[in-house]
Amino acid sequence: FDKAKKDYRYYADGQSKTCSASATISNQPGVSFTATFVNIIQGESTTLEWTCADSTTSTGANFDTGGRTSGLANVSPNTTTTYTVTCKNSLNESASADKTINVTPQSITAGLSASPSSGRTPLATTITAVAGGAGQTDAISGIAAGAW
């Protein structure tokens, strides 16, 4: 079948007849899907970018494409999450791609300090507890005080 040729000649009962044929030829859709960071710490974000080729629409799993065939989406998953973009052409043929974003839980730090930490008896001191994670630190001062 020659897609550039539209008319074909055939013979029936010794006579030449002409028939016409048409076909819809389309390219299969394609998709490119990337993430700025695939490994993040809980509370951070990453940007997903997708581009659909030979497509008329797109859908996303775990994020919204708005039907656009290309775009960016900022995501901040709390746990490891797989995102999927699916691109479709006018014949409803589709292509999909996945991107998994690995999320590491925030680290928590804790410590105690005494001020002053040494001296002669009787020693009056204040004990301070410090806890924090993800760049934040909270201190509780004076949780215990006394003379030893």
Side-chain angles (χ1 to χ4, degrees), residues 11-97:
Y11 293 89
D13 298 326
Q15 296 191 7
S16 175
K17 305 284 184 184
T18 301
C19 71
S20 295
S22 65
T24 301
I25 308 292
S26 70
N27 292 329
Q28 291 290 319
V31 60
S32 169
F33 193 34
T34 61
T36 306
F37 303 105
V38 294
N39 297 304
I40 62 173
I41 296 173
Q42 189 177 35
E44 295 179 338
S45 63
T46 187
T47 301
L48 304 175
E49 181 175 9
W50 71 97
T51 302
C52 299
D54 298 312
S55 302
T56 57
T57 189
S58 72
T59 57
N62 294 321
F63 79 108
D64 185 18
T65 67
R68 297 181 313 273
T69 56
S70 65
L72 302 170
N74 195 39
V75 296
S76 301
N78 288 322
T79 60
T80 296
T81 303
T82 298
Y83 297 91
T84 304
V85 63
T86 301
C87 303
K88 289 186 178 183
N89 65 12
S90 59
L91 297 177
N92 209 31
E93 298 168 319
S94 64
S96 295

